[in-house]
Amino acid sequence: MTGEGYRVLLAARRRSDVLRAKGFTYDQIAEVHALDHDVSPLRLYRFAHGRTVADVVNAFNDLDPAGTATLREARLYDYEIHPRPGGRRPPVRALTTLARIYQTHARSLVAPAEFSTYISMDRQALDLADYRHLDRKFIRVSSGKIVCANMESKAAWLPGVPDVSLGVQAEQCADLLSALGAEEGDVKRRDLLLELALSLGGLPALALLRHLSSAETARMTAITRAEGRLDESAVAVLEKLTAQCRRLDDDLGPRGVVPVVDAKRRLAARLLHRESLSPALRERLVSVYAELSQLSGYLHYDLAEYELATLRFKDALEAALESGNATLLAYIHHWLSDMASFRGESTKALDHAYAAQGWAKRSPSRLLRARTQFVEAWALALEGEQTASLRLLETARSVAKPTDADPSYLYWVAESSALGGTAAGFCLNALRLPDAAISTVNAQLNGIGGSGYSRTRAFALIQYATALVQKKEIPQAAAVLTEAAQISASHSSARLLHSLRISRGHLQPWAGYTYVNTLDRKLAALGIGVGTQ
C-alpha cells in the first residue's frame, strides 16, 4: 500500500470509528464514505471496517474450513478496481465470503450495473448471502399488532389495518426492478410482479410469486388492489402462497422471509375485515390467517424476538379456535412449549405441552401427536423428571410415523429426519445422558445427509458438541462446534447463535487448551462473539 493510500485508509478508519460510536451500521458507513470516495462498493466496505488489504485477505483465508483458500492481496486489489481497466470481476464465492467478513448483504458489494452481468444462478446466490445480522448495530424493525376498537367480538384476534401503507424502501425497489428486468421478458407480467412484490414484502417475495401462473398473478393483483369479490380461486392462491412461504424459510432463513409472511398476514386480515364471505370461504381464509400468524410467530421466535412471537402465536390460537382447526391448535401450542423450554421456562412449557396433547388427541395426525410428546419430554427433562421424560421419548418415537393424515406443514419433520428434532437433543442433554444424545443426534445427521436443512443440521451439531463436552471429549467437541459455527454464521437464526454461544460456554473450563483457542479464533473470524454463558 502506498503512503497516500495508507493515509486515506487511516482517515476513513477514524471516520468509521466515530460513526460506529454513534450507532451507524457498516452499510450506513459505506454510504457515507461513498460521498467522499469514487471507488467500488468492495473498497467502500473495506474503508467502513477500517481494514487493510492484508487484514481482509487473512480473514478470507481463515474462513475456508478446508484451508484451501488462496486469495492474494493483488487479487483483492483487482476485485476492488473492477470494472475499471486492470480490474477483475469477483466471483460469487469470493463475494459471499467477503460479505461475511464485512457483515453485509453480498448484493451490496456489487454495483447495480455489474449485478446484471452475473448469470441467474449466481444472482440468486448473491441474493441469499445476507450477513447483516452479524453487525451488532443492525436492527430490523418489525411492525407490531394494531388493534381496532370496533371489531366484532368473534374476530377480536384480527389486527387492524394501518392507515399508512407499509411499503418497501427505495433501495429495495431498485433491487426489484433489477431482478425483474434481468429475468422477466413479458413487460405486463413484470409490472404485475413488481406491484405484487411491493405489496408482499419486497425482493424475497419474488421467489414465491414466480411460481404463480399468469392467471394466478392477475388474480392475486386484483386481491391486493381490492378489485372484485373474493372467491374460491383467490383463496386458493393465498393457500398456495402460504404453503410456499414455509419452504422459503428453508432457503432464506427467518430474516429474509418474515417481511413476506407479515405482509401476507396483513393482507389476509384486510380481506377478512373487508369482505362479506360465505361461512365455508370465511373458514378457509381464517385458516390462512391462522397459519400465517403461526408461521410469523415461529420466524420471530427463531429471530429471538420472543414478545412479538408470543403475540403472533396468540393471534394464531384465536383464529384457529374460530375455524375449529384442532390440528393447527396443537401445532401452535407445540411451538409455544418449544419456545418456553428453549428459554428455560419449564412450567410454562409443560402448560403448553399439555394443551398441545389435548388438541392432538382430536387430530388424525400421528406425527403431530409425537411432536407434542417430544416437547413435553423436553419440559419434563428441565424439571428433572428423568423417568417420565424418557418414557415419553420412547412413546413418541413409536408413534412418529408419517401418514397421509398429517398436515402439509409437517413436511419438514420427515424430510429433515427431525422426528425428535431439537427437542430430543436438548432433552437428553438436559438429563445428562450424553451417550443417548449422541446416538439420537447421529441418526438425525445421517438422515439429513446433503439436504437443504442447514438450520436443523446446525442445531444437531450443537447438541452433539454439548454431549461430547459432558463426556469431556474436548478436541472432538471443539471440532464439531467449528462445523456448526460455519453454518450458524451464514444463517439468520438468532436461536442458532445463542445455542452456539451456550455450548461454547460449556467449554470454558478448558479455555486454555489449543483446541478451544482454535475454535475461538474461528468464531472471531466468523464475526461470532465468544460467549462464556
Side-chain angles (χ1 to χ4, degrees):
M1 180 182 295
T2 65
E4 178 62 24
Y6 192 63
R7 283 193 293 272
V8 170
L9 176 62
L10 287 178
R13 182 183 295 166
R14 285 193 294 269
R15 172 172 281 195
S16 296
D17 290 342
V18 171
L19 294 175
R20 286 295 282 182
K22 293 180 178 295
F24 279 53
T25 67
Y26 287 119
D27 287 339
Q28 292 169 329
I29 294 172
E31 291 179 7
V32 172
H33 284 310
L35 300 175
D36 298 324
H37 304 285
D38 182 19
V39 295
S40 68
L42 272 178
R43 184 162 294 180
L44 289 173
Y45 273 88
R46 183 162 63 81
F47 285 174
H49 284 260
R51 304 183 75 160
T52 65
V53 169
D55 289 338
V56 175
V57 167
N58 289 335
F60 186 102
N61 293 335
D62 286 343
L63 282 175
D64 182 16
T68 59
T70 56
L71 180 66
R72 294 176 288 107
E73 293 182 24
R75 182 52 50 82
L76 181 56
Y77 277 122
D78 291 343
Y79 293 162
E80 290 186 345
I81 293 172
H82 182 78
R84 293 178 178 176
R88 179 182 295 227
R89 190 180 76 163
V92 170
R93 178 180 175 278
L95 287 171
T96 55
T97 304
L98 289 168
R100 182 184 297 179
I101 294 170
Y102 295 145
Q103 300 175 17
T104 188
H105 191 181
R107 281 289 303 272
S108 300
L109 301 178
V110 184
E114 285 300 306
F115 180 74
S116 62
T117 66
Y118 289 85
I119 63 174
S120 176
M121 182 176 64
D122 288 346
R123 290 198 300 270
Q124 183 178 9
L126 292 174
D127 282 334
L128 295 178
D130 189 350
Y131 299 97
R132 286 175 294 179
H133 60 283
L134 298 177
D135 185 347
R136 296 183 181 276
K137 303 291 187 181
F138 179 75
I139 300 175
R140 186 179 59 76
V141 180
S142 301
S143 57
K145 180 181 177 182
I146 304 171
V147 181
C148 284
N150 60 349
M151 299 177 187
E152 297 179 16
S153 59
K154 72 173 184 177
W157 43 266
L158 278 175
V161 182
D163 292 329
V164 180
S165 175
L166 300 174
V168 299
Q169 297 176 353
E171 179 185 354
Q172 292 176 285
C173 292
D175 290 341
L176 280 168
L177 288 169
S178 176
L180 287 168
E183 297 189 14
E184 291 293 339
D186 186 330
V187 176
K188 181 178 179 181
R189 177 174 168 80
R190 185 171 61 203
D191 290 344
L192 291 178
L193 288 175
L194 175 62
E195 182 179 343
L196 285 175
L198 290 172
S199 301
L200 298 177
L203 189 62
L206 279 184
L208 296 177
L209 298 172
R210 286 197 178 105
H211 291 286
L212 298 180
S213 66
S214 297
E216 289 172 332
T217 302
R219 194 71 192 92
M220 194 67 193
T221 305
I223 294 173
T224 59
R225 292 174 178 172
E227 296 176 351
R229 294 188 59 79
L230 195 69
D231 56 16
E232 289 190 8
S233 64
V235 175
V237 176
L238 288 171
E239 291 170 336
K240 176 180 178 178
L241 289 176
T242 300
Q244 289 173 341
C245 275
R246 297 183 183 277
R247 294 281 187 176
L248 193 61
D249 173 46
D250 301 331
D251 297 327
L252 300 184
R255 195 171 299 284
V257 181
V258 74
V260 180
V261 173
D262 282 346
K264 286 185 77 273
R265 179 178 171 273
R266 289 192 295 269
L267 174 61
R270 286 198 297 270
L271 294 172
L272 285 165
H273 273 294
R274 188 184 73 204
E275 300 282 347
S276 177
L277 305 171
S278 67
L281 205 56
R282 177 179 174 81
E283 182 178 322
R284 287 176 61 185
L285 188 54
V286 168
S287 290
V288 167
Y289 179 85
E291 282 200 36
L292 288 169
S293 295
Q294 175 274 312
L295 179 55
S296 177
Y298 166 76
L299 295 172
H300 286 295
Y301 164 35
D302 203 28
L303 291 167
E305 298 170 349
Y306 302 118
E307 292 185 4
L308 190 51
T310 301
L311 287 174
R312 294 290 190 262
F313 282 137
K314 182 179 178 181
D315 285 349
L317 285 174
E318 294 294 333
L321 276 170
E322 179 179 324
S323 64
N325 191 332
T327 300
L328 185 56
L329 283 163
Y331 192 55
I332 298 164
H333 277 294
H334 145 273
W335 278 119
L336 281 163
S337 178
D338 189 287
M339 183 169 69
S341 287
F342 187 81
R343 303 182 71 187
E345 301 171 339
S346 55
T347 302
K348 184 184 293 186
L350 279 174
D351 184 50
H352 286 296
Y354 294 147
Q357 290 208 39
W359 285 109
K361 289 177 182 177
R362 300 175 60 179
S363 169
S365 173
R366 289 166 56 90
L367 196 56
L368 179 61
R369 204 168 308 144
R371 286 294 306 171
T372 63
Q373 290 167 339
F374 277 122
V375 293
E376 183 185 351
W378 185 6
L380 288 171
L382 293 176
E383 290 278 297
E385 300 287 344
Q386 178 172 319
T387 302
S389 178
L390 292 177
R391 186 184 301 119
L392 263 177
L393 281 180
E394 286 304 312
T395 302
R397 288 189 178 108
S398 67
V399 301
K401 311 294 183 188
T403 68
D404 292 339
D406 298 324
S408 60
Y409 46 76
L410 282 182
Y411 70 91
W412 61 274
V413 179
E415 289 185 10
S416 63
S417 299
L419 296 180
T422 308
F426 274 110
C427 175
L428 293 167
N429 278 324
L431 294 172
R432 301 196 68 79
L433 297 172
D435 290 326
I438 289 172
S439 176
T440 297
V441 169
N442 269 330
Q444 185 177 1
L445 288 171
N446 291 333
I448 295 172
S451 67
Y453 291 93
S454 60
R455 175 174 41 205
T456 301
R457 182 175 183 81
F459 270 122
L461 288 169
I462 291 169
Q463 293 309 307
Y464 187 16
T466 301
L468 288 170
V469 174
Q470 291 182 13
K471 290 170 66 69
K472 294 184 171 54
E473 297 181 9
I474 306 307
Q476 190 177 357
V480 172
L481 273 185
T482 299
E483 184 180 350
Q486 293 285 347
I487 301 173
S488 302
S490 61
H491 202 284
S492 59
S493 171
R495 285 192 303 146
L496 269 183
L497 291 176
H498 177 74
S499 297
L500 182 69
R501 291 181 177 122
I502 291 292
S503 191
R504 163 58 186 85
H506 295 154
L507 287 171
Q508 194 57 22
W510 298 273
Y513 282 40
T514 301
Y515 304 103
V516 180
N517 287 334
T518 301
L519 168 64
D520 288 345
R521 287 195 296 272
K522 179 63 70 174
L523 292 176
L526 292 170
I528 301 173
V530 177
T532 57
Q533 304 169 43

